Amino acid sequence: GRAGKRVRDEEDEIVKKLDKLIEKIENQMQQSQQQQQQSSKQATTKIDVAPLPKTLVDALLTQKSRAIVITEAKKPFRIVSVNQCWEKLCGYSFVESQGATLGSLLQGPDTDTTAATNLIVKLLQGEAEAGVTLTNYTKSGRRFRNRVRVGPLHDDYNNTVPYFVGVLQEVRDGM
């Protein structure tokens, strides 16, 4: 009688506590999933895998939505041209950039200069494209992760490579 009822009451109490606990855990999991979805939405910039421009005309005229820098193909690889996307990303104007080197503009305390140098070495060895993710700095000093892809710009008329092109893309963690 009474002992059995007390045991059932205790069991009911335990079940209620477990139900509340399960509900609490499910709510926490749901909140966590929502936060993950929101943070992944913020960092869903598509990685730029489009082909690099191959000629100076292509680099100057057709690359409106990508941050483009064009440098000389010989040391010290001075900047010849940048587009508006590059100006917006890096903070330097076309005029400020011309004649400067990328290292003098974007390099900072956490920039891996060896990795940056290796990009140039690969191009000088004749590779069609090289890429790396570097830590760079804007004109205002803002630190950013920069996925850089570089390649030669061909002058088919003279059969030379007078320039290199760089496509820069700011990346967030997880890209």
Side-chain angles (χ1 to χ4, degrees), residues 46-60:
K46 289 234 191 305
I47 294 177
D48 183 350
V49 292
L52 291 175
K54 298 291 184 216
T55 66
L56 186 60
V57 170
D58 184 21
L60 291 173

Side-chain angles (χ1 to χ4, degrees), residues 70-71 76-80 95-105:
I70 299 165
T71 69
F77 310 102
R78 294 195 187 285
I79 296 171
V80 175
V95 173
E96 291 172 300
S97 305
Q98 268 194 318
T101 64
L102 286 167
S104 70
L105 297 182

Side-chain angles (χ1 to χ4, degrees), residues 14-109:
I14 291 171
V15 168
K16 285 179 185 175
K17 285 180 180 177
L18 282 174
D19 283 344
K20 283 183 179 177
L21 189 60
I22 289 169
E23 190 178 329
K24 190 176 179 180
I25 291 170
E26 286 174 341
N27 284 339
Q28 287 174 341
M29 288 173 60
Q30 200 173 17
Q31 285 176 342
S32 174
Q33 284 177 335
Q34 288 170 348
Q35 287 171 345
Q36 285 176 344
Q37 287 171 351
Q38 286 173 343
S39 66
S40 70
K41 279 179 191 168
Q42 292 165 354
T44 52
T45 312
K46 289 234 191 305
I47 294 177
D48 183 350
V49 292
L52 291 175
K54 298 291 184 216
T55 66
L56 186 60
V57 170
D58 184 21
L60 291 173
L61 300 182
T62 67
Q63 306 294 316
K64 301 294 184 213
S65 63
R66 303 161 92 187
I68 299 284
V69 59
I70 299 165
T71 69
E72 297 172 338
K74 61 185 186 308
K75 250 184 158 170
F77 310 102
R78 294 195 187 285
I79 296 171
V80 175
S81 185
V82 297
N83 68 359
Q84 281 186 325
C85 284
W86 190 92
E87 289 177 316
K88 205 156 90 178
L89 174 63
C90 301
Y92 293 95
S93 71
F94 174 86
V95 173
E96 291 172 300
S97 305
Q98 268 194 318
T101 64
L102 286 167
S104 70
L105 297 182
L106 304 181
Q107 205 168 292

